[in-house]
Amino acid sequence: MRLTVIGTGYLGAVHAACMAEIGHEVLGVDTDARKIEALAAGRAPFFEPGLPEILVRNIRSGRLRFTMSLQEAADFADLHFVCVGTPQRPGSLSADLSHVEAVVDGLAPLLTRDSLIVGKSTVPVGTTRSLSRRLAAAVRPGVEVQVVWNPEFLREGFAVRDTLHPDRLVVGATTPDGDRLLREVYAPMLQAGVAYVSTDPATAELVKVAANSFLATKISFINAMAEVCDASGADVVTLADALGHDERIGRRFLSAGLGFGGGCLPKDIRAFLARAEELQVSEAVSFLRQVDRINERQRRRTVDLARHLLGGSFAGRRVAVLGATFKPDSDDVRDSPALAVTAEITAQGADVRVHDPEGIDNARAALPGPEYHRDVVEACRDADAVLHLTEWRQYRELDPAQLAQVVRAPRMLDARNALDQAAWHEAGWHVRALGRPVHVPQPGQGEALRVTIPHALGAGCTAPMAGEPVSGVPK
Ligand code: UDX
């Protein structure tokens, strides 16, 4: 089939390449000349494992092209995927739909044949209906254009795999024709047995927002338990493992630590709160405010624990930060918890050296203050403390004994609960983590004995940060 993908960010670039990969003829469209230039040359404008390979392969085969012209898109195909961003509106919790509306407004008068617009962006429930009205007023007489919502559930870092082998496809169409066309688009996946949920547009829109709200709630739940663990001496990692054995609960998204960030979870739960208020059902989702607050608190608790680890002050202390992106296998620093903590400890007087395998350029653009290093050992040299803030695999593979030779003082805060804390302790490190008791070695034995040492985490942890985090977190 011939189709266009409008908006070539993390979602659209991957979708365009994957649609070509399954055999369609695809035209990717964007207003950003640099992005289009890079994509057309087979270069991914952001880090996403596996994307460069399928870009190059499909550009070479002639199935994938890129343009900045909406006119070319209208001429090329009758099926248009909309993948533009729906960021949080500044000064508000709600989603900014201006990019989606601009695509519809721009495309509508150019369409000369009956067409299908397929929304993939995450939008508030009710958007398909309002876009359909907007479209009806803008299309040429005699031309019929239908809007269908087909949310995307891909995770950054696994975007190619998630797009080619999704857990499910959800399609909200208003006519059997719309549904039939989408079944054709996704035929290879349907043949492979991927679940296909055919529904109305409102339900389709809501599935995405509800899924992200559920995931965010799961993370904040375990982070709330981490706070209880800190107050009681229990261990949140063992707690999560034990909870996860219950199949009804499951272990995934129960990793306690610095909390969630990125371009989706934080803004999606806030946009849901805003939309629920418009629908006069704010009481039903008011728990999401708490989910957001718990998540925000993890950033402050991490800063407080780091300060405690350094004896009460950051002033004049050298701190190495491992990780700047909001999660591993991505170069995305949007609403990154790691970068928010980095900004705060810099504001509190620390001399900060940041390492990240892929995110340094984006991090430097968002937060120019700290020194950035491409070499993890250089970032840690003469550090008074090392903060593990994003769980890249290479940090788990560090040799704690070797790194102990490089730092000024072997103090480690594992804010992602991802390191082998006993191994670090055995190599001479003082290791702290959110929701876990302190590890000390048992005399005469290699085994670590866990004891709880009371520390300053408590009322002080909820004190507001001195500086604003990099990306706004609502108070
Ligand atoms: C998310 C959804 O998973 C995806 O389905 C949707 O399409 C877009 O939003 P993504 O933003 O790529 O994907 O990240 P995800 O892997 O969900 O992680 C989100 C954040 O939660 C990260 O900051 C991660 O570090 C954090 N997280 C995740 C935890 O703190 N604990 C966990 O147990 C899991």
Side-chain angles (χ1 to χ4, degrees), residues 419-464:
L419 302 178
D420 179 348
Q421 293 178 10
W424 282 76
H425 192 90
E426 273 162 34
W429 289 75
H430 178 190
V431 185
R432 294 306 314 265
L434 297 173
R436 303 201 79 180
V438 181
H439 283 67
V440 295
Q442 199 168 4
Q445 291 182 17
E447 284 287 293
L449 167 76
R450 285 209 316 272
V451 298
T452 305
I453 297 175
H455 57 73
L457 275 181
C461 297
T462 52

Side-chain angles (χ1 to χ4, degrees), residues 122 152-158 162 167-168 208 211-212 215-216 218-220 222-223 251-266 268 295 299 325-328 330 332 334-337 389-391 416:
T122 303
E152 178 57 57
F153 302 95
L154 65 78
R155 296 159 297 168
E156 288 180 25
F158 299 92
D162 285 352
D167 293 333
R168 77 296 211 189
K208 175 61 190 279
N212 276 358
L215 294 172
K218 223 177 157 186
I219 298 168
S220 279
I222 201 64
N223 282 331
R251 180 63 174 82
R252 295 174 76 187
F253 277 70
L254 277 189
S255 294
L258 187 44
F260 59 82
C264 295
L265 260 46
D268 287 352
N295 191 54
R299 302 176 184 198
T325 53
F326 85 100
K327 68 173 201 176
S330 169
D332 195 348
R334 286 177 295 171
D335 206 348
S336 164
L389 303 186
T390 311
E391 69 277 33
R416 290 293 178 182

Side-chain angles (χ1 to χ4, degrees), residues 213-386:
S213 296
F214 191 83
L215 294 172
T217 303
K218 223 177 157 186
I219 298 168
S220 279
F221 173 82
I222 201 64
N223 282 331
M225 293 304 107
E227 290 188 45
V228 177
C229 286
D230 276 330
S232 61
D235 183 335
V236 75
V237 174
T238 309
L239 177 73
D241 289 343
L243 289 173
H245 284 299
D246 184 332
E247 281 181 9
R248 294 168 303 172
I249 298 173
R251 180 63 174 82
R252 295 174 76 187
F253 277 70
L254 277 189
S255 294
L258 187 44
F260 59 82
C264 295
L265 260 46
K267 66 111 178 152
D268 287 352
I269 60 171
R270 292 169 197 159
F272 197 13
L273 280 162
R275 182 65 182 135
E277 198 164 327
E278 288 168 7
L279 293 170
Q280 298 184 333
V281 285
S282 41
E283 193 70 16
V285 297
S286 61
F287 68 94
L288 290 175
R289 271 186 209 288
Q290 198 57 26
V291 166
D292 200 7
R293 279 196 198 117
I294 292 168
N295 191 54
E296 182 197 347
R297 202 154 62 226
Q298 302 322 305
R299 302 176 184 198
R300 290 190 217 135
R301 278 170 34 87
T302 300
V303 171
D304 287 348
L305 186 52
R307 195 193 310 100
H308 175 73
L309 191 62
L310 283 164
S313 170
F314 287 110
R317 311 305 289 274
R318 185 170 290 184
V319 177
V321 164
L322 304 186
T325 53
F326 85 100
K327 68 173 201 176
D329 300 312
S330 169
D331 64 358
D332 195 348
V333 299
R334 286 177 295 171
D335 206 348
S336 164
L339 215 53
V341 167
T342 304
E344 179 58 22
I345 63 176
T346 306
Q348 290 192 24
D351 168 15
V352 186
R353 313 280 157 104
V354 183
H355 174 270
D356 191 280
E358 296 292 339
I360 283 186
D361 294 341
N362 287 342
R364 193 187 279 117
L367 183 69
E371 223 177 72
Y372 290 91
H373 288 268
R374 295 193 186 271
D375 183 308
V376 68
V377 171
E378 283 318 305
C380 293
R381 195 169 296 286
D382 297 329
D384 294 299
V386 180

Side-chain angles (χ1 to χ4, degrees), residues 143-160:
V143 175
E144 267 195 42
V145 184
Q146 199 196 132
V147 186
V148 167
W149 221 262
N150 166 222
E152 178 57 57
F153 302 95
L154 65 78
R155 296 159 297 168
E156 288 180 25
F158 299 92
V160 172

